[in-house]
């Protein structure tokens, strides 16, 4: 049999939008088949159809030559098709063994021996994956992201699949973990399993795949043997198709597009004709030369570069298809302290010389980057030291607290009593600061219990009541009708809500509005807690950094910039995620996604947990 799977003429439309428009796709035994394309090109949808998660509007699937219909994911799993998702589908409150064998485990445990067999099987799989240190006893939601991914892959391996689909998994893995995974894929492939590797990274295709198919706009544009391709050709196939279509339809648009790319490049571009006379300079080149394009036009290359540069003008003029990268003392380009230049000749398709292009780069930008990285490193170690100190302060703090309490009990003098009260409240503040430092450094111990999220939000709103009133803020809470129960550390979750609400309070003007909503996503069994305010909003340049520790745009000394980084850590340690949407000057919405407790987790599996097999 030359193929395990053949998908024929697959059509899919969602909400009236065509996602897939007649795709044919085949998977051969023992091949690693990369599926590449731009975001929203239909890659995941095509594979979700194969995994029985999405029903196509039209099309057929043949498994080993026989037509099959996978109307549920279970059908596909039974037929030997396993998919590792981009958004992990592990059950965060169950341990790794329960996750791997979730379909096979007996619902009630009669025998410890039987469970031990499952543990051994799980250990064997993790050994094979090089994940020997993975803790099988704790809820998977508490494991690092890469190990959570390993659990999902192990779940697929345990099913002895004939086809494995890996959907953009590289994002969660380190280089070493990726290398291990590649090795594992080789093993699978030797056993005859077909592997589909969905990616947007051309390099990965060359690292691992035998064949590659390119999807664009819901169509398969081509399938090629990787060994017959070069990188550029693949990049062009996968990402330039839209541009090609544009070329045919609208050459003027394309020319404008190219011109605006060159104009806005952060690199100075000076283009010279064959006589070495300048005929184009972009904005960055004008800035670096300190002259406008009109002033530079028709001037000679050597004239522009002046004669006191490290590279003689004659040498540059003579350089042909040779890259010259040189540190430049900046004399030629008045404004930049350090400048790097590169010169190359331009040729037409028949290799006839057309002229030269000189790229000039202000390397003070690199300098800024180096400084930034050094700062980031310092921040990290500062955080570590701060956390270490905080940890050490905890014990003497406890002793001081005890003595203050003893003195308070003994003392009847009101003046001393007042002072002791003040000492005590200042101690409370120190405890609070320390606990936020400890959360930040992940040292604090976590506990888990069932938490009613609606009540927790209500309590937190009440807690912050005076702050809402001080600014006359209108607060609306839409809790929804269903019960919202999550497995969580209540205090930490409260900290998340407080931090997010305090940011909103700080962002809105007097009389502003904060809307808090709880929404259940039944499909993914998730609750989304969102907090939306009509405050200052977050500019695009800031939004990428707000979850970084010590990042704050606030002038006040009390704002450490730790708030959201702590939230992110806490939410992720609960198997969730946190997202932000904002338009500067209009609104900010923070959304916290948390896994809901399922009935199974509430019932059968909790009993297993209580029996404690380890
Ligand atoms: N609701 C919001 N509206 C506007 N900007 C926000 C909002 N929430 C967060 N930000 C931006 O994100 C940055 C980081 O927030 P974070 O809570 O981590 O730190 P902070 O509030 O500045 O300091 P801290 O939380 O330690 O008091 C803020 O300085 C602010 O620029
Ligand atoms: Mg904050």
């Amino acid at each position: 049999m030359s193929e395990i799977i053949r998908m024929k003429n697959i059509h899919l439309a969602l909400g009236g939008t065509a996602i897939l428009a007649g795709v044919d796709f085949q998977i051969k035994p023992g091949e690693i088949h990369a599926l590449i394309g731009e975001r929203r090109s239909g890659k995941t949808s095509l594979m979700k159809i194969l995994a029985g998660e999405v029903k196509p509007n039209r099309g057929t699937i043949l498994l080993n030559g026989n037509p099959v219909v996978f109307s549920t994911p279970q059908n596909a799993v039974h037929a030997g098709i396993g998919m590792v998702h981009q958004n992990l589908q592990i059950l965060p409150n169950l341990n790794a063994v329960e996750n791997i064998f979730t379909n096979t485990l007996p619902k009630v445990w009669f025998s410890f021996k039987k469970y031990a067999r499952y543990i051994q099987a799980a250990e064997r799989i993790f050994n094979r994956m090089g994940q020997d240190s993975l803790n099988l006893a704790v809820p998977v939601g508490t494991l690092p992201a890469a190990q959570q991914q390993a659990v999902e892959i192990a779940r697929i391996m345990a099913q002895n699949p004939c086809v494995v689909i890996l959907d953009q998994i590289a994002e969660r893995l380190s280089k070493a973990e990726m290398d291990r995974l590649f090795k594992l894929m080789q093993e699978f492939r030797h056993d005859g399993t077909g592997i589909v590797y969905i990616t947007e990274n051309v390099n990965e295709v060359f690292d691992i795949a035998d064949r590659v198919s390119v999807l664009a706009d819901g169509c398969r544009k081509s399938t090629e043997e990787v060994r017959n391709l070069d990188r550029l050709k693949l990049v062009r196939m996968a990402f330039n198709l839209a541009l090609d279509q544009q070329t045919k339809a609208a050459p003027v648009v394309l020319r404008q597009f190219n011109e605006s790319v060159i104009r806005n490049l952060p690199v100075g571009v000076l283009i010279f004709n064959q006589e070495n006379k300048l005929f184009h300079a972009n904005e960055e080149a004008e800035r670096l030369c300190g002259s406008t394009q009109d002033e530079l036009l028709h001037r000679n290359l050597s004239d522009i570069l002046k004669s006191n540069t490290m590279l003689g003008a004659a040498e540059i003029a003579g350089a042909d298809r040779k890259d010259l990268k040189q540190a430049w003392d900046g004399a030629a380009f008045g404004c930049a302290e350090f400048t790097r230049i590169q010169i190359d000749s331009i040729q037409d398709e028949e290799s006839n010389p057309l002229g030269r292009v000189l790229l000039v780069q202000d390397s003070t930008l690199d300098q800024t980057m180096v400084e930034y990285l050094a700062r980031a490193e310092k921040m990290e170690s500062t955080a570590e030291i701060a956390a270490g100190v905080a940890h050490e302060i905890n014990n003497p703090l406890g002793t001081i607290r005890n003595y203050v309490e003893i003195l308070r009990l003994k003392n009847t003098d009101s003046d001393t009593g007042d002072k002791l009260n003040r000492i005590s409240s200042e101690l409370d503040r120190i405890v609070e600061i320390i606990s936020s430092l400890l959360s930040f450094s992940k040292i604090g111990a976590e506990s888990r219990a069932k938490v009613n999220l609606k009540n927790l939000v209500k309590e937190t709103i009440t807690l912050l009541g005076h702050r809402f009133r001080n600014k006359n803020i209108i607060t609306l809470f839409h809790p929804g009708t269903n019960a919202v129960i999550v497995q969580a550390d209540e205090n930490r979750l409260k900290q998340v809500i407080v931090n997010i609400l305090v940011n909103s309070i700080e962002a809105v003007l007097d009389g502003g509005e904060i809307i808090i909503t709880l929404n259940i996503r039944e499909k993914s069994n998730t609750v989304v807690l969102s907090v939306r305010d009509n405050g200052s909003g977050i500019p695009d340049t800031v939004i990428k950094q707000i979850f970084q520790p010590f990042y704050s745009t606030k002038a006040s000394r009390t704002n450490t910039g730790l708030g959201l980084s702590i939230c992110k850590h806490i939410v992720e340690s609960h198997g969730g995620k946190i997202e932000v949407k904002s338009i500067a000057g209009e609104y900010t919405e923070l959304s916290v996604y948390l896994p809901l407790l399922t009935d199974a987790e509430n019932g059968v599996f909790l009993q297993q947990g209580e029996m404690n097999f380890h």
Side-chain angles (χ1 to χ4, degrees):
M1 176 60 56
S2 61
E3 62 201 23
I4 315 174
I5 291 288
R6 176 177 284 259
M7 300 177 82
K8 286 203 307 199
N9 195 24
I10 303 288
H11 286 259
L12 176 71
L14 292 176
T17 312
I19 311 284
L20 296 168
V23 177
D24 292 340
F25 185 72
Q26 329 159 17
I27 307 164
K28 294 183 192 170
E31 78 163 341
I32 300 180
H33 193 140
L35 190 54
I36 194 168
E38 288 186 274
R39 214 149 283 184
R40 282 190 279 279
S41 53
K43 308 181 292 283
T44 300
S45 302
L46 182 67
M47 286 303 105
K48 279 192 170 171
I49 290 174
L50 182 56
E53 292 173 24
V54 174
K55 287 196 189 75
N57 299 89
R58 217 170 351 135
T60 35
I61 301 177
L62 303 180
L63 171 65
N64 296 321
N66 303 313
V68 281
V69 175
F70 300 141
S71 43
T72 64
Q74 283 72 28
N75 290 159
V77 167
H78 286 136
I81 310 226
M83 179 159 179
V84 178
H85 295 80
Q86 194 177 7
N87 304 319
L88 293 184
Q89 305 217 327
I90 48 161
L91 299 166
N93 299 311
L94 303 187
N95 68 29
V97 183
E98 290 156 351
N99 261 282
I100 296 175
F101 299 106
T102 186
N103 294 324
T104 10
L105 281 178
K107 289 277 178 261
V108 180
W109 298 103
F110 293 111
S111 108
F112 288 82
K113 259 192 194 161
K114 218 171 192 179
Y115 191 76
R117 274 215 304 275
Y118 283 107
I119 295 175
Q120 280 162 7
E123 277 170 352
R124 269 198 305 277
I125 297 173
F126 285 121
N127 271 341
R128 207 171 149 198
M129 295 172 70
Q131 291 279 4
D132 323 5
S133 63
L134 196 143
N135 187 341
L136 299 180
V138 298
V140 167
T142 62
L143 295 174
Q147 293 196 349
Q148 294 188 14
Q149 175 115 61
V151 172
E152 178 139 337
I153 296 172
R155 183 162 60 83
I156 306 293
M157 281 178 69
Q159 293 158 5
N160 273 334
C162 60
V163 169
V164 175
I165 304 158
L166 300 165
D167 189 1
Q168 300 202 37
I169 52 171
E171 281 160 24
R172 273 191 208 84
L173 301 180
S174 67
K175 171 83 180 66
E177 284 157 347
M178 267 319 274
D179 288 346
R180 266 208 302 262
L181 183 69
F182 285 173
K183 266 204 201 121
L184 186 71
M185 284 164 67
Q186 300 299 345
E187 280 184 36
F188 263 102
R189 171 206 207 198
H190 282 303
D191 297 345
T193 309
I195 297 169
V196 181
Y197 188 83
I198 304 180
T199 181
E200 285 170 15
N201 183 337
V202 172
N203 292 336
E204 286 176 4
V205 173
F206 283 90
D207 285 346
I208 48 163
D210 304 303
R211 285 201 299 165
V212 56
S213 289
V214 175
L215 272 198
D217 302 329
C219 297
R220 185 175 56 85
K221 295 294 170 185
S222 69
T223 297
E224 306 262 352
E225 297 280 335
V226 173
R227 62 170 181 270
N228 298 337
L229 280 175
D230 66 49
R231 255 161 240 260
L232 256 179
K233 191 169 165 204
L234 183 57
V235 171
R236 222 180 126 67
M237 267 170 37
F239 301 105
N240 277 1
L241 280 160
L243 218 57
D244 281 352
Q245 284 152 10
Q246 216 177 6
T247 324
K248 281 175 212 136
V252 179
V253 176
L254 183 69
R255 209 187 61 227
Q256 284 168 353
F257 172 80
N258 286 342
E259 281 171 4
S260 83
V261 168
I262 293 179
R263 192 170 51 247
N264 295 310
L265 274 179
V267 174
V269 179
L270 297 131
I271 302 174
F272 297 87
N273 64 16
Q274 265 187 286
E275 285 79 50
N276 282 329
K277 299 260 193 279
L278 186 126
F279 75 90
H280 182 79
N282 72 351
E283 284 176 14
E284 179 67 0
E286 289 179 332
R287 186 182 77 80
L288 289 168
C289 296
S291 320
T292 64
Q293 174 167 246
D294 286 346
E295 287 164 356
L296 294 170
L297 217 56
H298 305 306
R299 279 178 58 191
N300 210 302
L301 173 63
S302 51
D303 181 22
I304 291 174
L305 291 176
K306 298 195 181 146
S307 49
N308 64 346
T309 56
M310 285 170 68
L311 295 170
E315 193 184 339
I316 288 174
D320 206 10
R321 284 225 55 79
K322 191 165 100 191
D323 291 349
L324 300 168
K325 283 187 188 163
Q326 288 288 342
W328 191 276
D329 70 359
F333 295 91
C335 57
E337 267 186 62
F338 295 98
T339 312
R340 245 202 315 263
I341 67 161
Q342 183 173 339
I343 188 161
D344 210 346
S345 62
I346 319 170
Q347 297 168 339
D348 67 12
E349 282 170 4
E350 272 103 44
S351 305
N352 302 312
L354 294 175
R356 288 190 173 78
V357 60
L358 183 69
L359 303 176
V360 190
Q361 197 175 5
D362 179 354
S363 59
T364 45
L365 280 181
D366 298 357
Q367 197 64 22
T368 317
M369 188 54 84
V370 169
E371 276 164 21
Y372 173 81
L373 289 176
R375 191 164 154 254
E377 224 166 71
K378 209 161 106 197
M379 287 297 190
E380 204 172 296
S381 47
T382 311
E384 264 169 35
I385 294 167
V389 172
H391 205 236
E392 289 311 305
I393 288 175
N394 248 345
N395 294 337
L397 202 61
T399 317
I400 296 174
R401 245 175 183 289
N402 290 342
Y403 282 115
V404 170
E405 286 311 313
I406 292 169
L407 285 177
R408 274 218 295 197
L409 287 176
K410 278 189 176 171
N411 203 285
T412 45
D413 159 13
S414 79
D415 184 42
T416 317
D418 279 352
K419 285 177 180 144
L420 287 172
N421 283 346
R422 284 190 54 191
I423 294 177
S424 182
S425 78
E426 290 302 304
L427 281 174
D428 286 343
R429 268 188 53 199
I430 299 177
V431 169
E432 213 167 280
I433 294 169
I434 286 177
S435 81
S436 55
L437 276 175
L438 289 179
S439 315
F440 170 64
S441 70
K442 310 169 190 178
I443 290 174
E446 287 194 19
S447 66
R448 293 288 151 98
K450 284 184 202 172
V451 174
N452 181 328
L453 198 55
K454 275 187 195 174
N455 289 349
L456 191 67
V457 174
K458 269 188 225 154
E459 271 171 35
T460 318
I461 295 175
T462 316
L463 191 80
L464 292 171
H466 65 289
R467 298 202 56 177
F468 289 118
R469 282 191 295 277
N470 280 349
K471 268 184 124 175
N472 302 310
I473 295 169
I474 302 163
T475 321
L476 300 171
F477 177 34
H478 302 299
T481 46
N482 295 346
V484 184
I485 310 293
V486 291
Q487 183 87 358
D489 182 320
E490 183 163 342
N491 282 331
R492 288 183 166 228
L493 222 47
K494 192 186 273 177
Q495 200 180 349
V496 170
I497 307 168
V498 167
N499 284 353
I500 294 176
L501 285 176
V502 167
N503 279 345
S504 288
I505 294 171
E506 288 172 343
V508 296
L509 295 172
D510 207 78
E513 191 177 80
I514 301 178
I515 304 171
I516 305 143
T517 317
L518 282 178
N519 257 318
I520 289 182
R521 303 268 166 92
E522 275 173 10
K523 222 171 148 195
S524 54
N525 204 36
T526 308
V527 56
V528 188
L529 163 68
S530 54
V531 175
R532 184 183 169 112
D533 66 62
N534 62 352
S536 59
I538 310 178
D540 286 349
T541 45
V542 168
I543 206 157
K544 294 182 211 97
Q545 309 178 64
I546 61 169
F547 294 107
Q548 283 175 14
F550 299 109
Y551 179 83
S552 176
T553 54
K554 297 171 191 168
S556 159
R557 275 190 58 218
T558 51
N559 293 110
T560 57
L562 284 175
L564 286 181
S565 60
I566 291 175
C567 292
K568 185 166 186 288
H569 166 61
I570 296 176
V571 171
E572 286 177 357
S573 76
H574 282 80
K577 64 174 180 175
I578 181 164
E579 281 178 0
V580 59
K581 276 192 214 149
S582 181
I583 296 182
E586 285 188 25
Y587 78 95
T588 300
E589 180 168 321
L590 264 291
S591 302
V592 172
Y593 295 72
L594 289 171
L596 278 171
L597 272 187
T598 60
D599 291 346
E601 288 163 324
N602 264 326
V604 182
F605 283 108
L606 277 179
Q607 284 164 21
Q608 287 163 19
E610 281 156 17
M611 285 168 77
N612 191 8
F613 289 92
H614 302 284

